[in-house]
Amino acid sequence: MRKKIVAGNWKMHKNAEQTKELLNELIAKIPAGIESQVIVAPTFVNLASAVDHLAATAIGVAAQNVHQAEGGAFTGEISADMLTSVGVNTVILGHSERRAIFHETDALIASKVDTALKHDMTVIFCFGEELKDRQSGNHFNIVENQLRDGLFHIEAANWEKVVLAYEPVWAIGTGETASPEQAQEMHEFIRETVLKAFSKEVAENVSILYGGSVKPDNAKEIFSKPDVDGGLIGGAALKADDFVAIVTAI
Ligand code: PEP
């Protein structure tokens, strides 16, 4: 049975104090016993304190990136071993901002996926088309290629450590959202693509999150679609009330 997941990508927001404040609000406001898994992804420097802060809760902590190498002369980078050593066992990879601003290619992302899996981390694998691709009707091809080149080299057994996050680039941080029908259409295509490349079992069990301007007022409708298993949330994850409203919308 696949899981319902709502993950908040905090990007480069929230200093140490603000991180604690937001976490305290989430701890107080997320209702006990909700079925979906809630994950937050603060910045690297606040990960260890977030893990400590959330130790007695069901809220998980993810990193926003990891370096592909085990270690070495890579100034400014963070290894998988460093993350797991402070209790961070989930990592977001392939985010469109990493692809566009930091020039991460499918091949690089694939090697980060390998490193994360080797360290038994869960990977939230992000992908999605740009506006020009959707306008030219090429969006299904783009998505299929990103999955094939960044992820489909993994072994079937590793799929239990993978969460997919479809994030159309034109909907990220723009206030523009894919309609629930557009999201469902693409999620169904993604599940079908996983089925063809692996198996029905893998396809049925993988959680596929939607990301792109999910807000309290559109979350319920998007999450109601059968192939949408939750969301990866950017802007709205930075305000406790909005994030909690999205978490409870599922
Ligand atoms: C994101 O950055 O992953 C994202 C979905 O951002 P937003 O919700 O702000 O569009």
Side-chain angles (χ1 to χ4, degrees), residues 66-229:
V66 71
H67 194 271
Q68 65 277 16
E70 290 299 326
F74 300 105
T75 302
E77 292 291 334
I78 307 283
S79 72
D81 176 58
M82 291 167 189
L83 292 175
T84 57
S85 73
V86 295
V88 176
N89 296 303
T90 302
V91 61
I92 297 171
L93 292 176
H95 192 278
S96 66
E97 286 151 18
R98 300 290 324 166
R99 292 176 188 263
I101 304 168
F102 301 100
H103 312 293
E104 291 198 4
T105 60
D106 289 322
L108 176 64
I109 295 161
S111 69
K112 292 185 175 203
V113 166
D114 289 340
T115 302
L117 292 175
K118 188 172 157 208
H119 285 263
D120 214 21
M121 298 183 80
T122 294
V123 171
I124 301 178
F125 182 86
C126 305
F127 56 101
E129 82 282 1
E130 293 177 31
L131 185 59
K132 64 175 170 35
D133 306 316
R134 185 159 279 265
Q135 284 170 339
S136 65
N138 204 26
H139 44 301
F140 293 112
N141 278 339
I142 295 287
V143 159
E144 193 172 358
N145 291 347
Q146 287 174 333
L147 284 169
R148 189 196 56 221
D149 296 343
L151 188 66
F152 279 6
H153 62 285
I154 66 171
E155 286 175 25
N158 278 327
W159 273 91
E160 61 186 50
K161 289 281 179 187
V162 173
V163 173
L164 299 179
Y166 167 61
E167 299 206 300
V169 179
W170 48 272
I172 295 180
T174 59
E176 193 157 332
T177 325
S179 67
E181 292 69 33
Q182 284 173 320
Q184 169 56 27
E185 181 188 38
M186 183 57 92
H187 282 225
E188 200 179 334
F189 171 78
I190 292 162
R191 211 176 290 287
E192 191 66 29
T193 305
V194 174
L195 187 151
K196 281 188 199 142
F198 288 86
S199 67
K200 188 165 191 312
E201 195 193 347
V202 168
E204 282 303 319
N205 286 324
V206 66
S207 299
I208 310 178
L209 315 186
Y210 168 80
S213 298
V214 176
K215 307 282 179 220
D217 60 358
N218 60 21
K220 208 178 177 93
E221 225 192 323
I222 295 172
F223 293 165
S224 70
K225 294 295 175 191
D227 285 296
V228 178
D229 304 310

Side-chain angles (χ1 to χ4, degrees), residues 31-51:
I34 51 156
E35 269 177 41
S36 51
Q37 188 182 343
V38 179
I39 298 172
V40 292
T43 57
F44 279 129
V45 290
N46 294 314
L47 285 174
S49 68
V51 169

